[in-house]
């Protein structure tokens, strides 16, 4: 193409290119002037600056930190919290031993009762009648026993002696009759039958006399010991029957076996109950017990009679170890330990409340106590801390947490005694950073 050709507007292409080059040259020259002016202004401003300020070099600002100085320990006290339940010392379902009709209920649900207080009554009219009948029989047999012990009266002995004399006289008369008839029978003056009657009459009179004499001798010797003992047995049997009836009458009264509170009433007046039917449920609140399931290795360190603080509803009470179950629970694999709270500690507590027991055990281990704010979580279950070296430089140490509490932890690792560990604010630090110690204290 011809570079000298003209455009439709009459201007050549060469002229247009030359014009654009001139425009870029002007613009670059103007920019250079502006840069030169700025450099001159900066140089002039620096010339007026203070010579003292220009002489002081700039230094980085040090971060203030608080540190703890490590004190080595060869053991630490571990506190473990165990959860348990408050249990009433005694809970009983009260019932009658006899069948009968309830005629009166002395207490109601929620009432406090004392030991021996009557709670309910059964109808005992039939028992009362049987007791009266047995008492009358016993009185009769006792009177007979007294008579046997006292022996026969003088009048009875005198009457027996008179009977012996009468029978003796009658025997003599029968003997005389027998002798006369014997002479007559020898002379064939009477029949053999009359003679036999005389013989039999004599023998009968002799028997009656012997019997009367025996009775007289028995009266004179008094009552036989065997008769007295037999009568005593009769009286004793009636006494036993009477005692059994009175016990049955006592069983018609339902009494409280110990002081407590009626938790439940199951029947009303007029109900016919059977033996063993639940009437009341009695709960003894004081003293109350706390039951805890503890690992066997912890139970082995406890002894009966030891006292420990127990937390219930943010209140601390004292409990004494009163029992240790000698077997493991099949589900929890723990042993049950019973702590009894005294009357004062049991006040205002209710069974089934949650209780907590904190036990302390000493464990042998080399390490240091550190505040939890000094720990930085690391990898593979380890933790890290920042140590301030002599030059004020931060260095990182790896540690293992052996035991932790709410505000501090017992650790071991690459730490040395008397080293200074940053106590807080560790998230703003990195190894190699320069810091300034503003507060230092020793670990507990």
């Amino acid at each position: 193409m011809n570079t000298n050709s003209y455009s439709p507007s009459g201007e050549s292409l060469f002229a247009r290119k030359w014009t654009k080059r001139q425009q870029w040259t002007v613009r670059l020259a103007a920019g250079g002037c502006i840069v030169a002016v700025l450099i001159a202004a900066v140089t002039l401003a620096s010339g007026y600056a203070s010579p003292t300020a220009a002489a002081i070099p700039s230094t980085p600002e040090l971060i203030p930190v608080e540190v703890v100085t490590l004190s080595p320990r060869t053991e630490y006290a571990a506190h473990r919290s165990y959860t348990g339940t408050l249990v009433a010392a005694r809970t009983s379902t009260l019932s009658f031993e006899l069948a009968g009709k309830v005629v009166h209920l002395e207490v109601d649900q929620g009432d406090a009762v004392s030991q021996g207080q009557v709670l309910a009554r059964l109808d005992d009219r039939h028992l009362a009648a049987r007791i009266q009948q047995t008492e009358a029989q016993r009185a009769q047999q006792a009177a007979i026993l007294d008579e046997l012990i006292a022996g026969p009266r003088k009048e009875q002995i005198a009457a027996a002696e008179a009977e012996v004399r009468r029978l003796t006289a009658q025997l003599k008369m029968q003997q005389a009759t027998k002798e006369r008839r014997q002479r007559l029978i020898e002379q064939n003056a009477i029949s053999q039958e009359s003679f036999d009657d005389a013989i039999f009459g004599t023998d009968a009179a002799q028997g009656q006399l012997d019997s009367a004499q025996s009775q007289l001798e028995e009266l004179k010797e008094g009552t036989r010991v065997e008769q007295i003992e037999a009568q005593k047995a009769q009286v004793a049997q009636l006494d036993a029957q009477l005692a059994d009836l009175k016990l049955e009458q006592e069983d018609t009264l339902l009494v409280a076996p110990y002081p407590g509170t009626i938790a439940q009433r199951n029947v009303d007046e007029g109900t016919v109950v059977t033996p063993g039917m639940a009437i009341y449920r009695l709960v003894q609140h004081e003293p109350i017990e706390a039951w805890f399931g503890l690992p066997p290795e912890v139970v082995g360190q406890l002894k009966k009679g030891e006292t420990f603080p127990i937390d219930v509803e943010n209140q601390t009470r004292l409990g004494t170890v009163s029992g240790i179950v000698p077997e493991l629970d099949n589900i929890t694999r723990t042993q049950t330990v019973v702590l009894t709270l005294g009357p004062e500690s049991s006040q205002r507590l209710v069974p089934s409340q949650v209780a907590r027991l904190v036990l302390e055990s000493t464990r042998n281990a080399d390490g240091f106590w550190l505040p939890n704010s000094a720990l930085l979580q690391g990898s593979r279950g380890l933790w890290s801390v920042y140590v301030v070296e002599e030059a004020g430089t931060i260095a990182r140490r790896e540690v293992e947490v052996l035991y932790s509490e709410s505000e501090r932890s017992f650790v071991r690792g690459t730490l040395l005694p008397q080293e200074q560990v940053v106590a807080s604010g560790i998230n703003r630090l990195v190894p190699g950073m320069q810091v300034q110690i503003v507060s230092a204290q020793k670990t507990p």
Side-chain angles (χ1 to χ4, degrees):
M1 181 181 292
N2 188 4
T3 59
N4 294 325
S5 62
Y6 291 89
S7 65
S9 60
E11 187 179 5
S12 65
L13 180 61
F14 177 82
R16 290 198 304 270
K17 292 182 176 180
W18 177 255
T19 303
K20 290 182 179 182
R21 291 175 180 174
Q22 288 181 336
Q23 291 176 354
W24 279 106
T25 302
V26 172
R27 291 176 181 175
L28 290 174
C33 293
I34 294 174
V35 172
V37 171
L38 291 175
I39 293 174
V42 171
T43 303
L44 181 61
S46 62
Y48 286 101
S50 172
T52 304
I56 300 176
S58 61
T59 58
E61 183 179 356
L62 300 179
I63 297 178
V65 294
E66 297 180 356
V67 297
V68 291
T69 304
L70 296 179
S71 298
R73 295 287 185 270
T74 58
E75 62 182 21
Y76 65 93
H79 297 81
R80 288 289 183 264
S81 178
Y82 302 94
T83 302
T85 305
L86 295 185
V87 179
R90 287 183 285 186
T91 301
S92 302
T93 299
L94 305 182
S95 58
F96 289 104
E97 297 183 15
L98 303 176
K101 182 173 67 175
V102 178
V103 295
H104 193 66
L105 295 173
E106 303 287 346
V107 295
D108 202 350
Q109 187 168 307
D111 291 344
V113 298
S114 58
Q115 183 176 2
Q117 180 178 346
V118 177
L119 307 179
R121 301 173 185 269
L122 292 179
D123 186 3
D124 66 341
R125 291 176 297 175
H126 295 289
L127 276 175
R130 290 173 56 191
I131 289 174
Q132 290 180 354
Q133 179 183 4
T134 306
E135 286 178 343
Q137 293 176 355
R138 196 264 180 199
Q140 179 183 7
Q141 296 299 323
I144 296 174
L145 176 61
D146 294 339
E147 182 180 2
L148 292 176
I149 294 175
R153 295 183 299 176
K154 295 179 180 181
E155 293 80 3
Q156 289 179 317
I157 296 176
E161 291 176 345
E163 181 68 13
V164 169
R165 289 193 298 269
R166 184 183 71 81
L167 292 175
T168 301
Q170 186 177 358
L171 177 60
K172 289 179 178 181
M173 184 182 65
Q174 288 294 335
Q175 289 176 346
T177 302
K178 176 182 176 183
E179 291 176 356
R180 286 195 302 269
R181 291 186 179 182
Q182 186 175 6
R183 290 193 297 267
L184 293 174
I185 195 63
E186 292 176 353
Q187 299 173 5
N188 294 323
I190 59 174
S191 64
Q192 184 66 35
E193 181 179 0
S194 297
F195 180 68
D196 291 339
D197 290 339
I199 294 175
F200 294 146
T202 302
D203 293 339
Q206 183 65 48
Q208 292 177 355
L209 177 60
D210 293 341
S211 175
Q213 286 178 345
S214 297
Q215 292 179 358
L216 177 60
E217 291 176 359
E218 182 178 353
L219 290 175
K220 287 182 179 181
E221 291 179 359
T223 307
R224 295 177 57 184
V225 177
E226 295 81 359
Q227 290 180 317
I228 295 176
E229 294 300 326
Q231 191 61 32
K232 285 182 178 179
Q234 290 287 337
V235 174
Q237 182 180 2
L238 291 172
D239 286 338
Q241 293 179 4
L242 189 60
D244 183 63
L245 291 173
K246 289 184 177 180
L247 286 176
E248 288 190 21
Q249 190 177 38
E250 291 180 2
D251 289 339
T252 62
L253 302 177
L254 186 62
V255 299
Y258 50 81
T261 303
I262 300 298
Q264 187 175 359
R265 177 175 64 86
N266 299 317
V267 300
D268 294 319
E269 290 87 350
T271 303
V272 177
V273 298
T274 57
M277 181 176 177
I279 308 299
Y280 292 110
R281 187 165 65 88
L282 179 65
V283 177
Q284 183 183 20
H285 293 298
E286 298 178 3
I288 204 167
E289 296 177 349
W291 290 18
F292 295 92
L294 305 181
E297 60 272 13
V298 176
V299 175
Q301 302 175 3
L302 304 181
K303 296 180 180 179
K304 285 188 177 181
E306 290 184 317
T307 301
F308 298 94
I310 299 174
D311 294 333
V312 182
E313 300 293 338
N314 298 324
Q315 296 183 0
T316 302
R317 310 295 178 93
L318 294 179
T320 303
V321 178
S322 58
I324 300 175
V325 177
E327 60 183 359
L328 291 178
D329 186 273
N330 292 330
I331 299 176
T332 62
R333 308 305 296 173
T334 59
Q335 282 185 263
T336 300
V337 178
V338 180
L339 279 78
T340 301
L341 283 69
E344 295 182 359
S345 299
S346 300
Q347 292 180 359
R348 296 182 300 277
L349 295 183
V350 180
S352 298
Q353 282 185 294
V354 176
R356 288 179 174 82
L357 173 66
V358 178
L359 298 178
E360 177 180 324
S361 61
T362 302
R363 302 180 181 180
N364 296 323
D366 295 329
F368 308 90
W369 282 107
L370 285 178
N372 291 336
S373 57
L375 298 176
L376 180 66
Q377 188 170 9
S379 60
R380 293 177 297 178
L382 295 178
W383 295 77
S384 301
V385 297
Y386 287 136
V387 176
V388 180
E389 297 181 339
E390 294 181 358
T393 305
I394 293 295
R396 189 166 183 164
R397 301 279 194 274
E398 301 294 334
V399 296
E400 178 187 2
V401 176
L402 299 180
Y403 172 72
S404 182
E405 295 180 350
S406 60
E407 297 182 357
R408 63 175 187 168
S409 297
F410 190 82
V411 302
R412 66 181 177 185
T414 57
L415 295 174
L416 298 176
Q418 306 306 318
E419 279 193 313
Q420 294 180 322
V421 177
V422 179
S424 60
I426 58 177
N427 292 328
R428 56 179 178 166
L429 305 178
V430 293
M433 179 180 290
Q434 296 289 325
V435 296
Q436 180 181 3
I437 298 176
V438 298
S439 177
Q441 58 182 354
K442 289 188 176 183
T443 57

